[in-house]
Amino acid sequence: MTTVQALAVVVPARDEERLLPACLDSLALAVQALIDARPTIACHVFVVLDSCVDGTADVVAGRRGVTAVPVAAGQVGAARAAGVEAAAGWARGVAPSRVWVASTDADTVVPPHWLTAQVDLAGDGHALVVGTVLPDPRDLTDHEHALWRERHALGDGHEHVHGANLGFTLAAYRRVGGFPHLPVHEDVGLVRALRRSGVPWIAAGGLAAVTSGRREARAPHGFASYLDGLGA
């Protein structure tokens, strides 16, 4: 059983001024739901501004409970890792086993129960929660959306891994060396390492987040590239 005392959300962003506002709005609702349900848990959001040259920093500025973490990593693995380290500094003084880190993406909208559900699953003894994502249907053709549904079983026990919907204890994360500094599949690398380490984990189907179906990839051979190949 993990009693969460501090919860940090890490969001890597690279030139995301258009989509980040919706992400942060959804996180504000999720944070408020957590505060309402578990007022003793400290919560904060860290947006990693990775080599941004647009107005992404302006989107973050002034947001209550949100801290910008500027980096020049140029790759999502290093950016996520920088966000976790910023979160660890914020939670200094809390045992790492009681610090929960939730990971999502700047082009993703999470459900209001996203954080409360992760805390509940941590309370059940899980040190890793692997959620699911759905592409925004507005960004897909009917044919592409049908193919997506056909290829993705999203219930409990699913086999998918997305950095846009993960949660883990800081202790478990540190035990395996954190996010690998990779331009793509850093999420898969972390989850694989955590599973191999023997931590209790769950692939939860009730935590679906909605992510952009855009085709302008931020990471090579990542989610956007996969969507672009549907029906090819």
Side-chain angles (χ1 to χ4, degrees):
M1 176 178 178
T2 299
T3 301
V4 176
Q5 293 182 344
L7 188 150
V9 182
V10 173
V11 187
R14 187 170 188 179
D15 293 340
E16 293 284 9
E17 64 178 358
R18 185 174 67 87
L19 296 176
L20 182 58
C23 173
L24 294 181
D25 288 346
S26 72
L27 286 174
L29 292 175
V31 168
Q32 188 58 54
L34 178 63
I35 291 172
D36 292 343
R38 305 290 185 89
T40 61
I41 298 178
C43 189
H44 202 80
V45 176
F46 295 86
V47 178
V48 184
L49 305 176
D50 185 11
S51 309
C52 293
V53 296
D54 68 348
T56 303
D58 295 331
V59 174
V60 178
R63 287 266 185 169
R64 184 178 180 183
V66 181
T67 294
V69 183
V71 300
Q75 60 169 236
V76 67
R80 289 197 202 277
V84 176
E85 289 311 307
W90 164 77
R92 188 180 297 111
V94 179
S97 62
R98 297 182 183 274
V99 178
W100 190 263
V101 180
S103 168
T104 191
D105 284 342
D107 65 340
T108 300
V109 171
V110 303
H113 70 293
W114 190 59
L115 297 177
T116 54
Q118 290 188 50
V119 168
D120 288 343
L121 290 169
D124 291 338
H126 301 294
L128 167 66
V129 174
V130 184
T132 62
V133 301
L134 297 170
D136 190 330
R138 297 172 298 181
D139 296 331
L140 275 63
T141 66
D142 291 343
H143 176 64
E144 290 169 337
H145 195 252
L147 285 174
W148 169 269
R149 288 288 188 178
E150 178 183 310
R151 298 176 184 183
H152 290 77
L154 301 179
D156 288 346
H158 65 86
E159 60 184 20
H160 311 293
V161 175
H162 299 282
N165 198 344
L166 287 177
F168 43 84
T169 65
L170 181 59
Y173 176 86
R174 285 178 166 172
R175 189 179 308 141
V176 300
F179 280 111
H181 290 199
L182 297 173
V184 69
H185 302 321
E186 79 296 335
D187 44 5
V188 175
L190 175 66
V191 169
R192 182 180 293 126
L194 286 169
R195 289 173 176 173
R196 287 176 176 170
S197 75
V199 302
W201 65 277
I202 184 171
L207 288 174
V210 177
T211 198
S212 166
R214 66 182 173 198
R215 310 309 164 85
E216 301 82 19
R218 293 298 190 270
H221 310 298
F223 191 68
S225 298
Y226 174 83
L227 291 178
D228 199 40
L230 283 177

